[in-house]
Amino acid sequence: MRDIRVASVQFQHFPGDKAANLERVRFFVEQAAAAGAEMVVFPEMCLTGYWHLRHLSDEQIRALAEPVPDGPSSIQLREWSRQFQMTIGAGLIEVTPNGTLHNSYLVTMPDGGYACHRKLHAFIHPLIQSGDQYTVFDTPHGCRVGVLTCYDNNIVENVRITTLLGAEILFAPHQTGGCRSRSPHAMGPIDPALWERRKENPAAIEAELNGPKGRGWLMRWLPARAHDNGLFLLFSNGVGVDDDEVRTGNAMILDPYGRILVETGRAADEMVVADLDAYAAQIASGEIVVPTAP
């Protein structure tokens, strides 16, 4: 691995409006390029929208699905990767040649290559099937990347296996925070009115985003995924109203020691950028042993 500048984005998607969501992706790709980033990650299912999908009929959800890598969204992302010489990750609904649907995360690369992760623990709609393999791949940036989508990251073994397959950087796209959880100690709903009044009273909604329903929940486990496996972690999340829930954003980039290099707690579409230090990764993985004083 070498030093590399990367970016993570949080944005509020438009439910079912792929054209509008692609425009937001393009905006941030341009911003990432201007900042000198070579990789940028976007949230889970950011191209289609997420939580509203559970209400759709089979016909409606199939209408949103696309093949990978030859569907229109894939073609557009691949073109932007070539144009901006950047690796781009974004989530969509994939339809396979046999008609199976997946919650997929497409990563396009500037050399024309691509990778596609099918969420291992999918539950948004009965038609969307869980994936059955891990996704780890080489990039033209001199580093090896793994992808785990949202709940995939909650399972310790998934991150460990991804690391053992050689991942040095983990893309972790989410749609989380503000969830109605069966556990009394995990997240909880946020009043959508706080989001709607975010411009008049940003402190009220940002207290929720950064409290136990958002950042506080993440801090109970997310840094451990990076630290225990010695990898960089790029956390990207939706933000704002998502059907009847409020996503909490908290886009952040963590180093192999679980330290947060950069983050945002703002109630807005936003991008964070960080430089990943290859030397730190080599020490964390044991490739380089730093001598101690006798």
Side-chain angles (χ1 to χ4, degrees):
M1 179 176 169
R2 63 170 174 80
D3 295 350
I4 184 171
R5 179 167 291 183
V6 300
S8 178
V9 174
Q10 64 180 40
F11 80 88
Q12 184 181 22
H13 57 247
F14 299 90
D17 192 340
K18 289 189 286 186
N21 292 326
L22 277 167
E23 278 302 306
R24 292 305 288 156
V25 168
R26 179 183 174 87
F27 171 81
F28 281 110
V29 166
E30 291 176 343
Q31 295 296 306
E38 295 180 63
M39 294 182 175
V40 59
V41 297
F42 292 91
E44 172 188 17
M45 280 201 179
C46 62
L47 300 184
T48 56
Y50 182 68
W51 199 226
H52 78 290
L53 297 175
R54 71 195 195 282
H55 302 306
L56 300 187
S57 67
D58 291 0
E59 181 180 4
Q60 288 171 321
I61 203 160
R62 285 194 178 278
L64 283 174
E66 299 181 20
V68 171
D70 299 318
S73 295
S74 298
I75 291 171
Q76 184 63 84
L77 291 173
R78 292 168 73 187
E79 173 57 32
W80 288 338
S81 281
R82 286 190 291 267
Q83 178 183 350
F84 294 99
Q85 286 298 291
M86 184 180 301
T87 288
I88 302 168
L92 73 166
I93 304 172
E94 176 193 6
V95 59
T96 68
N98 65 9
T100 303
L101 301 185
H102 291 282
N103 176 342
S104 292
Y105 195 77
L106 175 63
V107 181
T108 59
M109 292 175 267
D111 63 355
Y114 77 95
C116 183
H117 177 70
R118 294 169 177 168
K119 187 176 181 179
L120 301 173
H121 305 277
F123 47 78
I124 186 68
H125 191 280
L127 272 189
I128 295 181
Q129 302 299 302
S130 294
D132 61 2
Q133 57 186 309
Y134 294 94
T135 305
V136 180
F137 53 94
D138 293 317
T139 72
H141 311 287
C143 56
R144 193 159 167 81
V145 169
V147 181
L148 290 169
T149 301
C150 203
Y151 193 80
D152 293 351
N153 293 276
N154 287 73
I155 309 300
V156 176
E157 290 80 3
N158 287 337
V159 185
R160 188 63 187 150
I161 291 168
T162 299
T163 305
L164 291 173
L165 290 171
E168 299 164 305
I169 300 172
L170 180 66
F171 289 3
H174 281 64
Q175 292 289 348
T176 194
C179 299
R180 291 171 174 81
S181 172
R182 284 187 288 252
S183 169
H185 306 295
M187 294 177 283
I190 295 171
D191 183 356
L194 295 177
W195 175 262
E196 299 303 333
R197 295 196 298 268
R198 65 191 180 280
K199 293 183 180 178
E200 301 93 86
N201 188 4
I205 182 61
E206 288 172 5
E208 291 281 64
L209 303 187
N210 296 300
K213 299 170 185 177
R215 186 181 187 276
W217 161 248
L218 297 173
M219 291 301 99
R220 289 163 58 183
W221 59 273
L222 191 61
R225 300 296 182 268
H227 174 270
D228 291 350
N229 295 285
L231 45 67
F232 291 100
L233 193 153
L234 278 57
F235 174 82
S236 175
N237 192 21
V239 69
V241 173
D242 185 8
D243 196 50
D244 65 345
E245 294 185 339
V246 178
R247 303 289 162 244
T248 53
N250 308 114
M252 67 179 73
I253 299 170
L254 299 95
D255 77 3
Y257 296 94
R259 297 178 300 186
I260 298 172
L261 299 176
V262 63
E263 66 177 319
T264 178
R266 294 186 63 236
D269 292 2
E270 194 152 276
M271 179 181 74
V272 295
V273 178
D275 293 311
L276 307 188
D277 181 354
Y279 183 70
Q282 291 170 322
I283 295 174
S285 67
E287 288 182 49
I288 295 177
V289 178
V290 179
T292 57

